[in-house]
Amino acid sequence: MRDMHRLIRYLAYTLEFLVLFMLQEIPGLLPPIWGVRPVLLFPAAITLALFEEDLPALFFGIGAGLLCDFGLSGLLGFHALVLGVLCFFVSHISRSFFQLNLFTACFTGVWTIALAVGAQWLFLYYFSYSQPGYAFVHHYAPKYGYTLLFLPLLYLLNRALFQALRAPDRT
């Protein structure tokens, strides 16, 4: 029975990722702010990692990263690697050091999404093009800020999914 709850929860997370991917890729659905649109899969993967164990968080991070690779048309596997490692690390430290609440989720999201966007800027732009400072200030920083706006909402969604679809305790 415990495995059935886990399977249903994983299917719900997969469906969530697919819906968020479609929402972020539909042109004009999320209005651009300063010429950028948010990456909804970054906060979704990070907040999911707060609740799940290490290996499922790693695999969902890789899955979200592959969807980002397809949508953002970057190097195939780059976002999968970055999000997989970040989700594994977040899952590991959230089980050891954090008390999960909205504040710690936002704090974790701020630095992990900064690392993801910073790695994206560093490896996909800085080493390939000129004027990296201009690109960071006018494209990557607004994308980071716009993406962070969705973090509390996705935390609450993933917390609700985790609590509703976890196996009941036997006491």
Side-chain angles (χ1 to χ4, degrees):
M1 191 66 164
R2 186 175 208 85
D3 290 335
M4 185 61 136
H5 287 277
R6 184 179 296 146
L7 177 66
I8 292 170
R9 189 171 67 237
Y10 291 170
L11 288 173
Y13 290 147
T14 304
L15 182 63
E16 174 193 358
F17 281 4
L18 290 174
V19 167
L20 289 174
F21 175 70
M22 288 187 290
L23 289 176
Q24 81 181 25
E25 293 301 315
I26 294 175
L29 184 63
L30 296 171
I33 295 178
W34 292 304
V36 297
R37 295 186 310 172
V39 183
L40 299 177
L41 291 170
F42 285 176
I46 296 302
T47 58
L48 179 142
L50 290 169
F51 298 106
E52 293 298 329
E53 295 176 4
D54 298 348
L55 283 179
L58 171 74
F59 290 125
F60 278 110
I62 290 171
L66 285 174
L67 287 174
C68 286
D69 287 333
F70 293 137
L72 300 173
S73 67
L75 218 57
L76 187 61
F78 174 76
H79 292 98
L81 175 69
V82 170
L83 278 180
V85 168
L86 283 175
C87 287
F88 181 83
F89 184 68
V90 164
S91 175
H92 187 70
I93 64 170
S94 72
R95 301 222 169 264
S96 304
F97 302 112
F98 289 166
Q99 178 181 356
L100 292 180
N101 56 35
L102 185 59
F103 176 75
T104 57
C106 289
F107 176 72
T108 303
V110 164
W111 65 266
T112 53
I113 294 172
L115 286 174
V117 172
Q120 189 181 37
W121 170 75
L122 183 67
F123 292 109
L124 299 180
Y125 191 87
Y126 184 80
F127 292 127
S128 300
Y129 301 100
S130 64
Q131 297 182 343
Y134 180 84
F136 183 79
V137 169
H138 290 88
H139 180 71
Y140 289 96
K143 181 195 301 187
Y144 169 70
Y146 197 7
T147 300
L148 280 181
L149 292 177
F150 293 93
L151 185 71
L153 177 68
L154 290 171
Y155 166 76
L156 294 173
L157 174 68
N158 282 332
R159 186 183 73 174
L161 283 175
F162 181 76
Q163 289 176 346
L165 299 175
R166 69 178 174 198
D169 295 333
R170 294 184 187 197
T171 51

